[in-house]
Amino acid sequence: MKTKMITVALAAIVAGGTAVAAVPASAATVKAAPTRCHTTDLKAGFATGDDAKPEMGRTGKQTQAFIWFTNKSNRTCTLSGFAGVDMVGAQRTDGTWSLVRSSKRPTKITLGRGDTTDFSISLLPVARSTPQKEKFVPATFLVTPPNETRHFTLKWPFGGQILKQDGATHPGTYLNPVGQ
């Protein structure tokens, strides 16, 4: 009986030219989910603390470098997936090496204003005595946040050289998803 009375009352209001929309009180307080971070929302760099530096002198064993993204915008945003990373070499013969992705599954990272996340790059350093054609000497890294087209240009601060495997199916140098 109560439902029938409400229906009659709503019909009378609509018939009178006024439309009514019922919105639960809880729906009014729901915030929109954050959208993805754009290159312009972020700043980026290499982690250079003593515990974050790759061991470039430890040849024949993998080491890791870390690149961070900090949200410099006034809004919360998300990152999910892999950054694009192109290493530009210092030697005339190096060219540019686009790093392949690991098999790790990405997760969504939410960054509030000023929050930072990072991702790792696994590297396979080689000795200085390695023949030039077998080594890649990094100079700069072109780092593109996930799902973006504009990149950051970061100068390689660590020295050393990497075993050149830019054509390998499973190289010893590759990148991991953001947040890992």
Side-chain angles (χ1 to χ4, degrees):
M1 182 67 174
K2 191 174 186 179
T3 304
K4 189 173 184 180
M5 289 176 63
I6 292 172
T7 304
V8 170
L10 285 175
I13 292 171
V14 171
T18 306
V20 176
V23 178
S26 61
T29 60
V30 174
K31 291 184 179 180
T35 59
R36 71 180 170 86
C37 301
H38 298 283
T39 304
T40 56
D41 296 323
L42 303 169
K43 55 185 177 177
F46 281 101
T48 56
D50 287 336
D51 60 339
K53 290 181 185 176
E55 297 178 71
M56 296 305 291
R58 196 172 120 195
T59 62
K61 287 192 159 194
Q62 278 184 319
T63 187
Q64 291 188 321
F66 295 88
I67 295 176
W68 50 262
F69 291 121
T70 298
N71 180 2
K72 67 177 186 174
S73 75
N74 290 325
R75 67 182 187 88
T76 297
C77 60
T78 62
L79 288 171
S80 180
F82 290 84
V85 177
D86 294 327
M87 294 190 305
V88 179
Q91 302 178 118
R92 186 173 33 89
T93 57
D94 285 340
T96 300
W97 179 358
S98 296
L99 297 184
V100 298
R101 299 171 174 183
S102 73
S103 60
K104 292 184 178 180
R105 290 193 157 282
T107 58
K108 185 182 274 188
I109 306 295
T110 300
L111 296 177
R113 181 180 183 194
D115 288 347
T116 298
T117 190
D118 64 8
F119 66 94
S120 62
I121 299 174
S122 294
L123 305 163
L124 188 56
V126 295
R128 284 197 184 288
S129 59
T130 302
Q132 183 176 354
K133 65 179 183 170
E134 295 177 21
K135 66 183 176 183
F136 185 95
V137 181
T140 57
F141 280 54
L142 308 178
V143 179
T144 308
N147 304 306
E148 286 292 297
T149 57
R150 293 183 41 214
H151 66 264
F152 296 98
T153 301
L154 306 177
K155 184 176 166 122
W156 177 247
F158 304 113
Q161 41 283 318
I162 301 165
L163 182 61
K164 191 170 188 170
Q165 296 179 309
D166 53 343
T169 305
H170 299 287
T173 297
Y174 55 87
L175 61 112
N176 290 303
V178 171
Q180 298 181 35

